[in-house]
Amino acid sequence: TSIMILHNTILVSVSKAPRENEQPKILRIQWAVINSEMVLTRGFSFFIQDEQQDDGEDQSCNTNKQEVIQYGKPIEYVLKKFIYDYGQCGIIAGSDIESDLAILEAEAKRLGIVPESKIKEKVQINSENKCPDLNSLIKSYIRQKSGIFV
């Protein structure tokens, strides 16, 4: 199965809100695992509970504070699920992959959640949308990798 893992790709999108003198706050994490045949095998979208309960809202990605309060999950719970899927893949991709990975790695390190190994192959997904939803991220990735219009 280790050969199969190398062909799995994890697509990730992190919605963030800036904070003064701190790393940005994670508001939402979305990811999907796609196999070598470009078939979606898993997908998740989680709002993140606000540990500080501040009044910040992410205007750029239309994340509503009420949705976060109602549907939010603890960051530790979400990161453990993400790290599991991350460990099943050989490629990671996203529309803002370097920034998203940096904030996820910093948060995971702060919580002591460390993946067994790091994915070495990173793919920047070309997307006009600054905060793509999971469906548009998947479509953009498949279009970019295969040249097929989805």
Side-chain angles (χ1 to χ4, degrees), residues 83-111:
I83 293 294
Y84 172 81
D85 283 342
Y86 177 95
Q88 305 300 307
C89 298
I91 302 167
I92 188 161
S95 60
D96 191 12
I97 194 61
E98 294 297 336
S99 170
D100 288 353
L101 266 180
I103 193 169
L104 289 172
E105 286 173 358
E107 202 60 33
K109 186 176 180 182
R110 180 181 74 83
L111 295 167

Side-chain angles (χ1 to χ4, degrees), residues 54-144:
D54 64 19
D55 293 327
E57 284 197 23
D58 178 22
Q59 302 299 327
S60 63
C61 292
N62 300 321
T63 302
N64 170 315
K65 187 172 182 175
Q66 196 56 44
E67 285 181 306
V68 173
I69 291 168
Q70 187 173 354
Y71 302 112
K73 299 282 185 211
I75 184 69
E76 190 169 6
Y77 169 82
V78 176
L79 278 176
K80 282 180 179 177
K81 287 184 88 56
F82 174 78
I83 293 294
Y84 172 81
D85 283 342
Y86 177 95
Q88 305 300 307
C89 298
I91 302 167
I92 188 161
S95 60
D96 191 12
I97 194 61
E98 294 297 336
S99 170
D100 288 353
L101 266 180
I103 193 169
L104 289 172
E105 286 173 358
E107 202 60 33
K109 186 176 180 182
R110 180 181 74 83
L111 295 167
I113 304 168
V114 184
E116 289 181 24
S117 61
K118 276 188 143 183
I119 294 175
K120 296 192 180 13
E121 187 176 344
K122 299 175 194 166
V123 176
Q124 177 71 35
I125 297 175
N126 302 322
S127 174
E128 298 82 42
N129 189 343
K130 186 177 176 234
C131 305
D133 63 87
L134 211 45
N135 284 334
S136 65
L137 196 65
I138 292 165
K139 286 178 182 178
S140 295
Y141 178 75
I142 291 172
R143 193 175 312 128
Q144 187 173 316

Side-chain angles (χ1 to χ4, degrees), residues 18-64:
R19 287 191 286 202
E20 216 171 291
N21 303 321
E22 288 184 66
Q23 75 174 15
K25 176 173 64 173
I26 298 174
L27 300 171
R28 185 179 196 177
I29 304 172
Q30 303 178 83
W31 73 91
V33 176
I34 295 181
N35 67 19
S36 60
E37 286 84 40
M38 297 288 182
V39 175
L40 175 69
T41 58
R42 295 166 61 87
F44 293 99
S45 179
F46 288 104
F47 288 107
I48 305 302
Q49 284 176 349
D50 189 354
E51 294 170 347
Q52 278 88 31
Q53 295 299 323
D54 64 19
D55 293 327
E57 284 197 23
D58 178 22
Q59 302 299 327
S60 63
C61 292
N62 300 321
T63 302
N64 170 315

